[in-house]
Amino acid sequence: HRTNTQLFPMSTAGAAPPSQDTKKIFKRVKLRSKNKLDWAIFQIDKKTQEITPEFTSDDEKEKKGIDGLVFKLSELQPRYAVFDHEFKTADGRLTSKLWFIAFTPDNANQTDRVTYAQSLKPFRDTLAGINPASFTDKNEILKEFGSKNAVEEDSDDEDEDFD
């Protein structure tokens, strides 16, 4: 009986391996096919200690693209996500870039933060052709990917003069 830990070097002994479902879902985000997904969110299953799919773009019918992904993220739980970001180049061509997002909200508990941090690099290294990004705030994700729903914070508040 072969275990998944053989897929990872010894230095990642505490890392959660991706499940077979996770590998299949990643391929659906990456590949251009009729079953293509725009994005997927993954969690570390507390029972199996594997990285498993939690939500995909098929689960969110109201909000599309990055808005749907961010809508499904918890304010309290770290998660991993893959997102196929479609955009227009400066010369007007439609293209896309595949992103791996590590989301660790500021108010996540310390145990979850450590668990996700230990598995981050080993998991990311199993995914070919991705661009890594890390975020602690949902609005930062929306801003990074050009969502119309991103809230622009007013950074001048501290510098206001009260006469």
Side-chain angles (χ1 to χ4, degrees):
H1 179 70
R2 204 180 127 185
T3 63
N4 281 336
T5 54
Q6 292 170 335
L7 298 174
F8 299 104
M10 290 306 287
S11 64
T12 60
S19 70
Q20 290 304 314
D21 284 345
T22 292
K23 293 172 188 174
K24 288 176 190 167
I25 293 291
F26 174 71
K27 283 181 184 164
R28 285 185 60 197
V29 175
K30 185 176 180 175
L31 301 176
R32 302 269 173 227
S33 69
K34 65 179 176 142
N35 289 335
K36 176 157 180 36
L37 296 168
D38 292 334
W39 54 264
I41 298 172
F42 304 98
Q43 65 183 345
I44 297 176
D45 187 296
K46 290 188 186 322
K47 289 185 193 112
T48 65
Q49 289 302 303
E50 284 185 319
I51 298 167
T52 59
E54 183 179 31
F55 298 111
T56 70
S57 50
D58 283 353
D59 297 320
E60 179 49 48
K61 300 299 181 208
E62 300 295 312
K63 300 177 188 307
K64 299 293 177 206
I66 196 65
D67 295 315
L69 186 156
V70 169
F71 179 72
K72 289 291 192 184
L73 289 172
S74 164
E75 294 282 358
L76 299 172
Q77 297 293 317
R79 289 294 184 263
Y80 307 123
V82 289
F83 172 54
D84 190 16
H85 181 220
E86 289 191 349
F87 59 97
K88 282 193 176 166
T89 60
D91 61 0
R93 289 178 298 120
L94 190 63
T95 188
S96 69
K97 210 173 195 183
L98 192 62
W99 289 90
F100 175 87
I101 298 170
F103 178 65
T104 308
D106 289 330
N107 46 359
N109 78 45
Q110 192 59 31
T111 304
D112 288 343
R113 287 170 166 270
V114 169
T115 301
Y116 278 78
Q118 284 178 325
S119 297
L120 173 64
K121 187 174 179 348
F123 179 40
R124 196 176 57 207
D125 290 350
T126 67
L127 307 176
I130 51 117
N131 297 281
S134 296
F135 299 94
T136 59
D137 179 83
K138 291 165 83 168
N139 192 56
E140 290 299 316
I141 300 171
L142 294 174
K143 286 198 307 195
E144 178 68 27
F145 295 104
S147 169
K148 293 177 185 79
N149 294 315
V151 177
E152 290 300 324
E153 285 106 22
D154 187 5
S155 59
D156 295 337
D157 286 354
E158 300 88 357
D159 301 322
E160 276 187 30
D161 291 330
F162 294 100
D163 293 340

